Amino acid sequence: VVVGTNVDGSPNKFTHPYFQCAVMFLGELFCLVLYGIKRMFSSANAPSGREGLNPLVIALPAMFDICGSSLMFVALTLCAARVYQMMSAVIVVITAMMALFFLGKKQYAHHWTSLMLIVFGVFIVGFVNIMATRGDTSLAGQTSIFGIVLLLIA
């Protein structure tokens, strides 16, 4: 949550994740523009032998990236920063499972141990924060179960 001040000096909370998400994607778009410029200058010197890339190959992962980032920014407004940071560590577990199932990468004992520690840590942080918000009404606005669910979906 970003806190600014109004004209009269009163605090004004800014919790709109769409602006943060738009700035992030604007930065990514700028990288794409620079890549296009680099490719334009390098292709002028190289012989032409490759056809264009199908836009759907890039569009599908980009769509998932936009959805995932938007869900994570919305979840950030519903969770405390410490919960957001720990819950976003689940991406390591998801990546390892996808490497196992889709790429056939073998996971060794130290990989499984680290994955179980991550899952255990994420469970502990989520459980403690949910229990803390039930017991203390002053913490009720910091973390919600819906925010945790959004983080796990993203």
Side-chain angles (χ1 to χ4, degrees), residues 8-153:
D8 61 354
S10 63
N12 185 15
K13 291 185 179 180
F14 177 78
T15 59
H16 301 286
Y18 307 107
F19 177 72
Q20 296 158 338
C21 195
V23 168
M24 183 186 72
F25 286 117
L26 187 65
E28 290 179 4
L29 180 65
F30 182 67
C31 291
L32 186 62
V33 169
L34 289 179
Y35 172 74
I37 292 170
K38 178 186 171 227
R39 188 169 176 199
M40 182 178 67
F41 284 119
S42 67
S43 66
N45 299 335
S48 175
R50 183 176 166 194
E51 293 187 21
L53 182 66
N54 185 359
L56 292 178
V57 172
I58 298 173
L60 190 63
M63 181 187 68
F64 283 122
D65 186 40
I66 288 172
C67 292
S69 297
S70 298
L71 283 175
M72 288 188 82
F73 281 128
V74 170
L76 181 58
T77 63
L78 300 172
C79 291
R82 63 186 180 272
V83 177
Y84 173 82
Q85 197 68 25
M86 277 303 290
M87 291 294 177
S88 62
V90 172
I91 194 70
V92 175
V93 177
I94 294 170
T95 304
M97 292 301 124
M98 291 178 84
L100 178 70
F101 294 126
F102 296 119
L103 300 177
K105 298 279 184 176
K106 184 174 179 359
Q107 302 295 330
Y108 296 101
H110 63 280
H111 295 139
W112 288 111
T113 304
S114 64
L115 291 174
M116 291 303 121
L117 286 173
I118 291 171
V119 169
F120 182 69
V122 167
F123 172 75
I124 293 294
V125 168
F127 181 74
V128 166
N129 280 289
I130 289 172
M131 296 320 266
T133 56
R134 287 186 180 176
D136 189 3
T137 57
S138 66
L139 295 174
Q142 287 186 354
T143 302
S144 70
I145 296 173
F146 183 64
I148 292 173
V149 170
L150 278 180
L151 277 171
L152 293 175
I153 291 172

